[in-house]
Amino acid sequence: MKKKYAVTDRLITRVTGWISGIIVIALAIWGVYTLWGYYTYEQTNDAQVQEYINPVISRAGGFIVAVKFEENQLVSKGDTLLLIDNREYVLQEEQTKAAIQRSEAQLLVLESTIHTLDRTALAARAQVAAAKAKVWKQQLDYDRYHQLYQEESATKQQLEHMQATLDVHASDHQAAQDNYGAAVSRIADIRAEKAVVLAEITRLKALLKRHQLDVSYTVITASYNGRMGRRTVEAGQMVDAGETLAFIVNNETDKWVVANYKETQVAHMQVGDSAVVLADAFPGRTFNGTIISLSPATGSSFSLLPPDNSTGNYVKIVQRVPVRIRIDGARKETDALKAGMNVNVYIPKQQHRD
């Protein structure tokens, strides 16, 4: 029995030795590979995929009568997403149209009145001319009788009659002038009133465009090709202008990664440098990228309460600098990456630059 245990012990020792050797070799290979990676690349796992996720905002208030999309649905630019009850906005539009028609009819009346007053003014001017001619003729007769009266060839009664007739004609002439002036003044008043009506028509037309916009806002459409995100509304719900009703992910723009590198890693990074992106969701699958910008300040500088080293309790902490990296490749290849996914980013330390 002792001999048998000895053979078993030797066998276990040999297997354990082999396993230990394999582990040591594997660790050595992994260590060399890791060190080579740190020597070759500036890398970080503090990175996430980003893309434009925009809210669908209502520009008009009212009851939702229909929801035309589901969560995660693909939509095209111009597709109807939501319908809001537009009856109140349509009524306002019709009221404004009626007000415009009323003002335009009033404008026609004023134009007709101006035409009539123009004819009246012409007649008054003719009366002025006729009265002036009568005054001129009567003045000649008066002057003639006055000469005859001085030569005692006419009586004083005749002279007085001529004087009275001259005064009547002069009064008629003055009345005709006043009537003509009143007609001209009335025309000016009507034209001023017409200008007011024209201004009101301009205002009402602008108001009509506003009401037409309100009617158009009751149909909410997709602003671009994309995929719908979370849905927070249902038919029959009351919404206000400016309220967020859903979210849409823009498929027309590139995706990018925001990699937060330590400040000690960004010294040699430049816009245009290439990068390799590995997503946690897809082990073994690589995505290529290009640096498109580096943040003008560290991430903490944009926080609500940025650090202030003048308070006297300074502790040096390595800061992070956001680096924006565009994901290159066809859209169908990058669609697998979703906004918010965690990724590892590797940027070669030695890159050829022109």
Side-chain angles (χ1 to χ4, degrees):
M1 293 297 295
K2 293 182 178 180
K3 183 177 181 181
K4 184 177 180 181
Y5 282 128
V7 173
T8 302
D9 291 341
R10 286 197 300 270
L11 180 60
I12 293 174
T13 302
R14 184 177 301 175
V15 172
T16 304
W18 281 104
I19 293 175
S20 300
I22 292 173
I23 292 174
V24 170
I25 294 173
L27 289 174
I29 294 174
W30 177 81
V32 171
Y33 178 78
T34 302
L35 291 175
W36 175 255
Y38 280 114
Y39 176 76
T40 309
Y41 297 97
E42 294 290 0
Q43 52 187 289
T44 183
N45 62 356
D46 185 0
Q48 285 186 329
V49 178
Q50 300 289 335
E51 56 186 321
Y52 287 112
I53 303 175
N54 297 326
V56 178
I57 298 177
S58 171
R59 301 182 69 178
F63 284 95
I64 295 178
V65 296
V67 180
K68 301 288 188 179
F69 72 93
E70 297 293 339
E71 289 189 0
N72 308 323
Q73 176 183 335
L74 285 171
V75 294
S76 300
K77 182 177 181 179
D79 286 352
T80 299
L81 303 179
L82 296 149
L83 295 177
I84 297 176
D85 187 1
N86 66 351
R87 288 176 293 180
E88 293 182 5
Y89 299 107
V90 171
L91 287 175
Q92 291 176 350
E93 180 183 359
E94 292 176 350
Q95 288 174 353
T96 305
K97 287 181 179 179
I100 291 175
Q101 292 175 352
R102 179 178 178 277
S103 296
E104 289 177 343
Q106 186 179 359
L107 185 64
L108 292 176
V109 172
L110 292 176
E111 290 176 348
S112 177
T113 303
I114 290 174
H115 178 71
T116 301
L117 290 175
D118 280 336
R119 301 293 297 272
T120 302
L122 289 175
R125 188 168 61 181
Q127 291 175 356
V128 169
K132 183 179 180 180
K134 288 181 180 180
V135 170
W136 176 74
K137 180 179 180 300
Q138 190 63 32
Q139 183 68 47
L140 293 178
D141 291 341
Y142 173 79
D143 292 341
R144 187 164 49 253
Y145 270 88
H146 186 269
Q147 182 68 30
L148 291 174
Y149 176 75
Q150 289 180 345
E151 295 175 357
E152 298 181 350
S153 297
T155 66
K156 185 177 181 180
Q157 181 180 7
Q158 290 176 321
L159 181 62
E160 291 174 348
H161 177 73
M162 289 296 172
Q163 179 66 50
T165 303
L166 177 61
D167 291 342
V168 170
H169 288 324
S171 178
D172 291 341
H173 179 252
Q174 184 62 44
Q177 286 182 322
D178 291 342
N179 289 336
Y180 175 71
V184 172
S185 178
R186 180 59 180 160
I187 291 174
D189 292 342
I190 296 299
R191 284 177 176 163
E193 189 175 350
K194 178 182 175 182
V196 173
V197 175
L198 286 172
E200 178 65 10
I201 290 175
T202 301
R203 185 188 72 83
L204 289 173
K205 287 183 177 180
L207 183 61
L208 176 61
K209 291 181 180 180
R210 172 62 190 179
H211 290 324
Q212 289 172 340
L213 277 177
D214 289 337
V215 172
S216 68
Y217 292 157
T218 60
V219 180
I220 301 175
T221 60
S223 302
Y224 37 73
N225 299 329
R227 184 185 294 273
M228 299 305 300
R230 185 175 60 191
R231 168 178 161 179
T232 60
V233 293
E234 189 55 65
Q237 182 176 338
M238 181 69 180
V239 297
D240 297 323
E243 185 174 342
T244 299
L245 306 179
F247 291 89
I248 181 172
V249 179
N250 193 345
N251 283 347
E252 296 181 354
T253 58
D254 295 325
K255 297 184 180 183
W256 69 93
V257 168
V258 175
N260 299 300
Y261 275 95
K262 296 178 181 178
E263 58 185 321
T264 55
Q265 295 179 286
V266 299
H268 302 292
M269 292 183 186
Q270 293 185 8
V271 174
D273 286 353
S274 61
V276 177
V277 178
L278 299 179
D280 294 351
F282 307 103
R285 183 175 177 182
T286 61
F287 299 88
N288 296 321
T290 304
I291 296 178
I292 56 177
S293 66
L294 284 84
S295 175
T298 62
S300 61
S301 298
F302 295 111
S303 63
L304 182 62
L305 297 173
D308 185 359
N309 296 336
S310 64
T311 57
N313 56 353
Y314 171 66
V315 177
K316 184 176 182 179
I317 299 175
V318 177
Q319 299 295 309
R320 297 274 181 168
V321 178
V323 179
R324 183 163 173 167
I325 301 169
R326 183 185 64 245
I327 303 297
D328 299 328
R331 186 75 194 187
K332 62 181 180 180
E333 297 176 359
T334 61
D335 272 344
L337 295 175
K338 308 298 182 184
M341 280 186 172
N342 293 314
V343 295
N344 297 324
V345 179
Y346 301 85
I347 299 178
K349 294 182 177 180
Q350 300 296 330
Q351 300 196 48
H352 173 73
R353 299 185 179 92
D354 294 334

